[in-house]
Amino acid sequence: MEDGGMGQRELQREVIDTHLCTGCGACVGLCPYQTSYHDRIILLHPCDIKVGRCYMFCPRTPTNLETMRKSLCEEKDLTPEIGAVKGFYLTRATDEQIRKDAQHGGSVTTLMTLALREGIIDTAIIAEGKENFLHRGVAVNDPAEVKKRGKSKFIVSPTVAEFNRAAKGEAKKIGVVATPCQVLALAKMRLKPVPVDEGNIDKLKLVIGLFCGWALSWRGFMELLRKKTGLDAVVGMDIPPRRHTLEVYTKDGTIEFSMEEVNSCIREACHYCFDTTAEFADISVGSARLPGRWEETRIWNQVIVRTQRGDDLVQLARAGGLLEFREAPGEALDELKKSAMEKKRTALKSIAARSGSSPDLLYLDRFDPVVRMLQG
Amino acid sequence: MMSKLIAQKEGVEYLLMGNEAISRGALEAGVSVACGYPGTPSSEIIESLCRVAKEGNLYVEWSANEKVSMEVAAAASFAGMRSLCTMKQNGVHVASDFLLHLAASGIRGGMILVFCEDPGALSSVNEVESRYFAPMIEIPLLEPANFQEAKDMTRWAFELSEEIKNIVMVRSVTRLSHGSGNVIFGKLPNTKRQAEFRCDGPILDPDTGLVFSAPVVYKHQLQQEKIKRAEEIFERSPFNTYEGPEKPGVLLITSSICYLYCREAISLLGVEDRVGVLKFGATWPLPPSFLKRHLSLTDKILMVEEVRPFLEERVKILAAGMAPEMGIKTFYGKETGHFPSVGELNPDLVVSALGKIMGINSYVGMPADYEKKAQALASTKTPQRDLTFCPGCPHRASFWLIHNALQMDGRRGFVCGDIGCYSMAILSPAGGFGVMKTLHSMGSGTGIAGGFGKFGQFGMEQPVLTVCGDSTFYHAVIPALINAVHHRANMILIVLDNGGTAMTGFQSHPGLTVNAMGEEAPAVDIARICEAIGVKVEIRDPFDLEETRETINRLLEDEEGVRVLILRQICGLSPEKKAAKRYEVRIDEALCLGENCGCNRLCTRIFRCPGINWDRQKKKARIDEVICAGCGVCSSICPAGAIKREEAA
């Protein structure tokens, strides 16, 4: 940082040029200088403001995670591996149609729909799949609109940009479904690092985080897909555990891509990601992955409840019979923690390789307790 | 009101612009056909003739390009009429292939080529010396030195042309073409010649035979005899003059507007009794006897001319041949460093060179570093003013969109530029936002892009764009576009169609429904030409920012072959608009974010339309109502919705 600048120039140097950018959209929609295109963040024109929200909100600029944990979570719930855990469940939507339209158990759709219906939020920001895998965040008010957009996306959607846009408007209570990087951005915004916030972040009433191991880069993945199928033939995708393939479901059946093929298309930024479970969400949801029982468990979700308002919503869903619950075997949580820790370890290595020196962890603080535990 | 150019007032003195004086000279010569392609500083010749076309029974056209204009004018000459074609300095290069063959075939009715040069490149992207075409192609060259001569020499050039049966070049420069001075009118002829092409006589007969350049050696020989004849005529030409003492200490040899600088320099130094001026009006071929007589007057000669040492070289060559009889002379000029061989001259430069030779320091003109100092001073006291697009200019919106689309595309795409107002886009950040990376001659943007568009096999991944104006499209883009299509180049041509030849003053072009003489004309449609070539064409309005930007991005994604996008929006200054504002634009100061995060003066720092100012006291943007053209585009880019626009009443 020259002259202590924390603006667009530094954002470019520290995040864009270093390929750390996750495409979350936190820097978009605040001003005319950044926009998103496909899955990339674009700096349109130079901005010379010294301290800009773009830099301050970015999940890949330096962040004091420990402060954030203490501010946003209850200390007794904290785990080093996956952040705050108030409760851990296996759930799925009771509504069969929701399950059918969803990636796995339909728990996220159920919870967002419920939050809208109960007036906990008036606006839900969710990712919408568009043609050619060009996703974007959309703000919806009608619970039925949430149900249409239940599938995993695999390519980043600049969802936080849509939050920025919606927060400027009529919306008063906003809920967001977000990937870990997006959740981190929203968490940074909640800490109000800059005075010019206009109070919009206070409209954020619910964050449902999605487990995420990586996202694909649009251009690379499109080229890979085009080799094997027409883009409009694709109806869905998934990654079965431990099989080392990406399954692409088309109208004519399933096409498998080996992880070697897929790895070459992974967004570079994802290699530097320290968080697979969206640690600063109210609720984090992923697919249930019980060893050896994939086909049976893929229609279930693992749910980590992290905050009081998260717990309130999950309990409301339980009371209303909207979510089915199933006992989570102890090994499921252990497995989750193990793989989250593994990802953190790999990320630290990748970051050190990118920075060229192991004490320089780019956006991470080497004195952070979790980092020290991993490096210790 | 009748134009003074066709006033039958022989002997009356009028104030004329240099280009108008040239027009009057052509009218006094009884010109029937005048053609040209617009280009500063030449455009007013055809423009002023357009205005008198009806009363003067002339045929006047703005041709599609300079070569075509010369061909149309040549046809008039072949039909026995007098004709004129005009262009700027580099136009001669466009026309030169035809000029070469025309000079070899010879002409019939008097035909002159008036080319107006731009030393210092005040309105050009070159300061080429087209005088060199005269010796290269072996045709005579005249250079008027003042406004009266501009008229008189133009008129006389037609006579010379008919005398030697070949085209004659007449050269003007910016300071003569665009300056004004008093001109005494001569007589206007009452009759016009009948047009008839006689082509049934003996093949080699110059008046009734075939018009072509073969048998080449025979015709070449004939052409050189014509030049010899011109040389003899120039020995007695009243346009070659000497003024000064019988035995000058220093002889200045000059031509064109530099003659006036010489006179002024002599007067400033008070050396009228010691310095003579030999002014050539007929500069190629130089008359050797006339030259020798005057070289013999002195031993010290200073050559005064702009840009290249055209006269200097020829005079030295002739002097070398005369040396055994005349003795050896000392020449000062560009080769001795007394004058620069780039840029314009001025009286001070002549004073300085002459003073150095004569050892006079009495007059101090503008110090050499004056300009630098003045600029340094000005930059601290005046607001920065770049060359930039006018308020309401569609090009600003177009380049804004191209820039944003290329940034979003992210593959380091670039624009090959072309000639027009939009050439300014190469001067970032004055409205082009840094996207234009090459700029050459008319039509060459498309040619170059067609080349870049073939380099995928060598690993080139950058998207290739080019732009051209509507007039430029007709001028020289079409062959390059055909070439690119045929060779499947991956490129995007964006036609910035602003409905006229805007940069040079809204001359007509083949895309319009009115011709140079104001007559109804069939418009040749750019989109249909492209479609006929086999190109997919889309048409958008650059003021529809989001839709047009999306179109450009979609075209960028589509990597097959040539794509054409026509961005159609009339020039903000077009006479058709009659200065009407589409929108009344104002700033809602309560909403204006100014320098805060969220805006940081996007409108005045990045978009930079001259119609918006930054109020330093209030720290708010402000619309300059006098300057604002009311296009309303700024309202679409303001992130805070602070720029309000309402349909103008």
Side-chain angles (χ1 to χ4, degrees):
Chain A
M1 266 181 271
E2 277 168 23
D3 316 312
M6 289 186 286
Q8 191 206 47
R9 204 179 329 165
E10 290 73 26
L11 186 74
Q12 162 135 29
R13 201 167 50 218
E14 297 171 29
V15 180
I16 306 283
D17 292 349
T18 53
H19 303 276
L20 254 62
C21 174
T22 67
C24 72
C27 60
V28 175
L30 302 163
C31 74
Y33 296 95
Q34 285 84 237
T35 189
S36 66
Y37 186 65
H38 294 177
D39 61 344
R40 291 172 294 116
I41 298 303
I42 309 297
L43 306 185
L44 282 176
H45 298 279
C47 173
D48 55 7
I49 282 182
K50 283 270 185 309
V51 179
R53 288 174 295 177
C54 54
Y55 184 89
M56 301 310 286
F57 294 167
C58 174
R60 291 297 176 261
T61 56
T63 306
N64 189 329
L65 293 174
E66 191 59 9
T67 308
M68 193 169 281
R69 290 179 196 115
K70 286 179 175 154
S71 315
L72 302 177
C73 310
E74 284 186 61
E75 214 159 342
K76 66 176 174 55
D77 299 331
L78 286 172
T79 71
E81 300 92 349
I82 55 170
V85 182
K86 251 189 201 315
F88 178 70
Y89 311 99
L90 292 186
T91 68
R92 67 176 188 180
T94 314
D95 184 331
E96 203 172 322
Q97 190 58 45
I98 289 182
R99 288 208 305 267
K100 227 174 128 187
D101 294 339
Q103 186 74 14
H104 298 111
S107 304
V108 175
T109 306
T110 304
L111 290 168
M112 279 316 261
T113 309
L114 176 65
L116 273 175
R117 199 177 300 135
E118 291 295 317
I120 296 165
I121 57 173
D122 57 36
T123 303
I125 310 285
I126 53 184
E128 176 177 68
K130 300 243 294 169
E131 68 270 22
N132 294 345
F133 300 85
L134 297 173
H135 310 315
R136 58 167 194 180
V138 287
V140 301
N141 309 109
D142 180 355
E145 292 295 313
V146 176
K147 294 180 188 171
K148 292 181 192 165
R149 298 171 171 89
K151 296 282 187 192
S152 292
K153 302 299 185 284
F154 292 89
I155 286 170
V156 171
S157 142
T159 299
V160 189
E162 182 61 10
F163 170 78
N164 287 336
R165 193 196 63 79
K168 279 194 263 186
E170 300 289 300
K172 289 191 175 63
K173 295 181 281 184
I174 303 175
V176 184
V177 178
T179 59
C181 50
Q182 294 165 347
V183 170
L184 181 56
L186 289 166
K188 288 183 86 167
M189 291 159 85
R190 285 170 69 190
L191 295 184
K192 299 187 185 174
V194 265
V196 280
D197 175 52
E198 299 148 4
N200 289 340
I201 190 62
D202 297 333
K203 293 178 173 181
L204 183 65
K205 299 298 181 195
L206 176 66
V207 178
I208 299 186
L210 301 169
F211 291 7
C212 177
W214 40 256
L216 296 168
S217 101
W218 181 83
R219 206 177 283 280
F221 187 55
M222 286 309 102
E223 279 164 22
L224 183 66
L225 265 186
R226 279 197 192 101
K227 283 183 200 158
K228 297 199 183 181
T229 180
L231 296 185
D232 40 3
V234 178
V235 292
M237 296 196 287
D238 212 336
I239 299 167
R242 297 177 192 284
R243 219 181 291 162
H244 298 290
T245 58
L246 172 75
E247 293 181 345
V248 173
Y249 313 122
T250 75
K251 289 171 220 157
D252 308 318
T254 301
I255 301 171
E256 289 201 353
F257 291 89
S258 73
M259 285 322 280
E260 287 70 45
E261 284 177 294
V262 174
N263 272 333
S264 67
C265 308
I266 288 176
R267 191 182 181 95
E268 188 180 342
C270 298
H271 297 303
Y272 312 122
C273 176
F274 197 61
D275 177 8
T276 45
T277 62
E279 294 180 24
F280 299 101
D282 293 306
I283 304 165
S284 295
V285 181
S287 65
R289 299 184 163 230
L290 304 184
R293 290 149 66 190
W294 168 241
E295 286 309 323
E296 178 204 340
T297 53
R298 72 187 295 176
I299 51 163
W300 287 84
N301 293 112
Q302 304 186 79
V303 175
I304 304 170
V305 173
R306 302 186 182 278
T307 65
Q308 192 53 53
R309 64 188 185 190
D311 194 43
D312 292 347
L313 182 63
V314 170
Q315 296 318 323
L316 194 62
R318 187 201 288 264
L322 300 170
L323 281 184
E324 263 182 66
F325 284 72
R326 154 174 183 168
E327 196 196 337
E331 69 202 67
L333 187 59
D334 291 343
E335 179 81 3
L336 185 61
K337 285 182 175 177
K338 206 178 110 194
S339 71
M341 241 12 199
E342 196 47 48
K343 171 75 181 167
K344 285 186 199 291
R345 195 169 285 118
T346 318
L348 286 179
K349 274 189 206 147
S350 304
I351 290 170
R354 162 55 78 180
S355 76
S357 90
S358 48
D360 179 4
L361 296 178
L362 303 175
Y363 75 101
L364 292 178
D365 177 4
R366 66 191 166 108
F367 299 112
D368 179 80
V370 179
V371 171
R372 293 183 75 157
M373 181 189 290
L374 282 160
Q375 289 194 321
Chain B
M1 197 186 78
M2 193 184 76
S3 164
K4 61 191 169 195
L5 284 186
I6 48 167
Q8 280 289 11
K9 301 256 173 117
E10 193 180 349
V12 178
E13 198 169 40
Y14 283 88
L15 178 66
L16 291 188
M17 187 187 199
N19 279 343
E20 292 176 313
I22 291 167
S23 297
R24 172 72 189 191
L27 290 167
E28 288 182 8
V31 72
S32 295
V33 172
C35 316
Y37 185 80
T40 310
S42 72
S43 309
E44 295 82 4
I45 303 170
I46 294 293
E47 278 183 344
S48 58
L49 288 172
C50 285
R51 286 194 283 273
V52 300
K54 201 164 281 172
E55 296 112 304
N57 186 26
L58 304 178
Y59 174 72
V60 187
E61 74 169 43
W62 282 122
S63 309
N65 66 34
E66 293 86 351
K67 177 170 172 282
V68 175
S69 88
M70 195 181 285
E71 288 156 352
V72 173
S77 164
F78 300 158
M81 296 181 289
R82 286 187 165 182
S83 67
L84 160 76
C85 66
T86 73
M87 53 202 62
K88 70 183 291 176
Q89 72 274 11
N90 44 306
V92 184
H93 297 247
V94 175
S96 63
D97 191 9
F98 178 66
L99 179 60
L100 161 71
H101 291 91
L102 180 68
S105 81
I107 53 99
R108 290 180 186 171
M111 174 172 175
I112 70 168
L113 159 61
V114 178
F115 64 108
C116 303
E117 302 208 305
D118 189 11
L122 305 171
S123 307
S124 304
V125 289
N126 67 78
E127 58 167 357
V128 71
E129 275 263 22
S130 292
R131 290 191 292 180
Y132 284 95
F133 275 105
M136 186 167 78
I137 290 183
E138 300 173 276
I139 49 178
L141 171 67
L142 305 180
E143 293 186 61
N146 60 38
F147 304 96
Q148 185 68 45
E149 280 193 354
K151 178 188 83 65
D152 292 344
M153 286 172 78
T154 301
R155 176 181 171 164
W156 181 67
F158 284 94
E159 284 163 31
L160 174 66
S161 168
E162 283 179 5
E163 169 105 27
I164 64 165
K165 291 189 186 296
N166 215 344
I167 185 170
V168 172
M169 295 175 86
V170 178
R171 177 202 190 225
S172 178
V173 293
T174 306
R175 303 296 175 187
L176 179 61
S177 281
H178 284 175
S180 292
N182 287 350
V183 178
I184 298 167
F185 278 14
K187 199 170 157 33
L188 282 181
N190 293 322
T191 53
K192 277 271 148 62
R193 296 182 191 179
Q194 189 73 25
E196 186 197 352
F197 182 40
R198 298 165 70 200
C199 50
D200 300 322
I203 288 181
L204 293 179
D205 186 280
D207 296 316
T208 60
L210 302 183
V211 188
F212 79 140
S213 58
V216 172
V217 173
Y218 167 75
K219 288 280 176 76
H220 194 186
Q221 173 81 33
L222 209 60
Q223 196 190 337
Q224 288 184 349
E225 283 164 17
K226 292 173 181 181
I227 279 295
K228 206 71 203 158
R229 174 82 191 111
E231 193 180 287
E232 285 160 19
I233 295 168
F234 288 177
E235 290 286 2
R236 304 181 306 275
S237 167
F239 298 118
N240 296 336
T241 58
Y242 173 74
E243 292 158 68
E246 274 179 34
K247 289 281 166 200
V250 179
L251 176 68
L252 305 184
I253 298 186
T254 189
S255 70
S256 189
I257 204 73
C258 293
Y259 166 65
L260 298 180
Y261 305 159
C262 291
R263 294 279 305 273
E264 191 170 337
I266 289 168
S267 160
L268 286 168
L269 290 173
V271 290
E272 290 86 346
D273 56 341
R274 289 191 279 160
V275 177
V277 181
L278 182 63
K279 184 218 73 172
F280 281 102
T283 44
W284 206 88
L286 274 184
S289 304
F290 177 81
L291 177 70
K292 189 177 168 191
R293 274 207 303 284
H294 294 91
L295 288 180
S296 303
L297 302 179
T298 183
D299 289 332
K300 289 182 179 173
I301 296 128
L302 175 62
M303 304 297 304
V304 186
E305 62 190 320
E306 285 174 320
V307 196
R308 301 276 305 277
F310 176 80
L311 276 178
E312 185 172 335
E313 287 167 359
R314 187 65 190 155
V315 167
K316 281 177 174 174
I317 288 170
L318 291 172
M322 296 164 187
E325 279 179 54
M326 186 178 70
I328 293 169
K329 306 291 177 186
T330 305
F331 289 95
Y332 305 93
K334 294 182 194 297
E335 287 177 10
T336 55
H338 285 76
F339 289 115
S341 55
V342 294
E344 292 190 285
L345 295 192
N346 58 44
D348 277 352
L349 285 170
V350 182
V351 164
S352 152
L354 190 53
K356 213 184 284 175
I357 295 165
M358 301 181 76
I360 304 174
N361 304 313
S362 62
Y363 171 83
V364 180
M366 208 190 282
D369 60 348
Y370 175 87
E371 200 174 327
K372 207 176 281 175
K373 279 186 178 165
Q375 270 173 3
L377 193 64
S379 67
T380 62
K381 303 281 181 197
T382 59
Q384 187 191 345
R385 291 195 208 283
D386 301 314
L387 269 177
T388 189
F389 294 127
C390 306
C393 178
H395 296 332
R396 182 185 306 282
S398 295
F399 282 107
W400 177 264
L401 297 173
I402 294 169
H403 168 270
N404 287 2
L406 284 175
Q407 286 294 109
M408 288 163 87
D409 181 82
R411 289 175 292 167
R412 299 185 301 122
F414 57 90
V415 175
C416 301
D418 217 303
I419 301 297
C421 291
Y422 48 90
S423 300
M424 274 193 291
I426 203 156
L427 298 167
S428 175
F433 311 107
V435 297
M436 189 181 282
K437 301 299 184 187
T438 73
L439 179 61
H440 298 85
S441 61
M442 291 190 70
S444 56
T446 302
I448 291 169
F452 278 126
K454 287 306 295 177
F455 301 156
Q457 75 181 90
F458 305 115
M460 184 149 161
E461 291 175 345
Q462 294 156 278
V464 181
L465 287 80
T466 183
V467 291
C468 77
D470 35 342
S471 191
T472 303
F473 182 85
Y474 301 104
H475 180 284
V477 168
I478 295 171
L481 183 62
I482 290 173
N483 187 68
V485 169
H486 179 65
H487 294 102
R488 296 183 199 277
N490 281 325
M491 58 163 277
I492 299 172
L493 165 63
I494 297 181
V495 182
L496 303 169
D497 182 354
N498 59 1
T501 317
M503 184 168 64
T504 47
F506 299 99
Q507 292 82 7
S508 63
H509 66 56
L512 305 181
T513 53
V514 179
N515 70 15
M517 297 183 293
E519 299 166 343
E520 209 176 295
V524 179
D525 188 70
I526 293 174
R528 288 180 61 193
I529 291 175
C530 294
E531 280 159 9
I533 295 171
V535 187
K536 209 180 77 187
V537 182
E538 297 191 50
I539 301 172
R540 293 284 182 280
D541 179 348
F543 288 175
D544 289 343
L545 295 183
E546 198 49 30
E547 191 199 353
T548 304
R549 202 273 308 148
E550 280 172 12
T551 303
I552 299 172
N553 273 119
R554 181 166 45 73
L555 292 174
L556 283 165
E557 288 291 331
D558 180 10
E559 286 177 43
E560 291 303 310
V562 177
R563 290 137 279 163
V564 174
L565 174 65
I566 299 174
L567 293 183
R568 190 170 283 164
Q569 177 61 243
I570 195 164
C571 171
L573 300 179
S574 170
E576 262 181 69
K577 290 190 79 165
K578 299 188 172 69
K581 287 187 181 186
R582 182 169 170 201
Y583 295 106
E584 290 297 339
V585 182
R586 65 181 178 83
I587 307 276
D588 183 334
E589 290 185 359
L591 294 177
C592 175
L593 290 170
E595 289 168 322
N596 288 325
C597 181
C599 180
N600 194 15
R601 294 178 47 203
L602 182 76
C603 58
T604 52
R605 197 176 60 87
I606 305 286
F607 189 65
R608 296 175 72 175
C609 173
I612 319 174
N613 298 331
W614 175 244
D615 187 325
R616 282 166 210 250
Q617 267 78 48
K618 286 186 182 170
K619 295 197 172 294
K620 299 286 176 186
R622 185 178 60 198
I623 299 292
D624 185 331
E625 283 173 32
V626 179
I627 304 281
C628 173
C631 72
V633 171
C634 55
S635 157
S636 306
I637 65 144
C638 175
I643 307 184
K644 304 291 185 191
R645 66 183 197 194
E646 283 166 34
E647 295 274 352

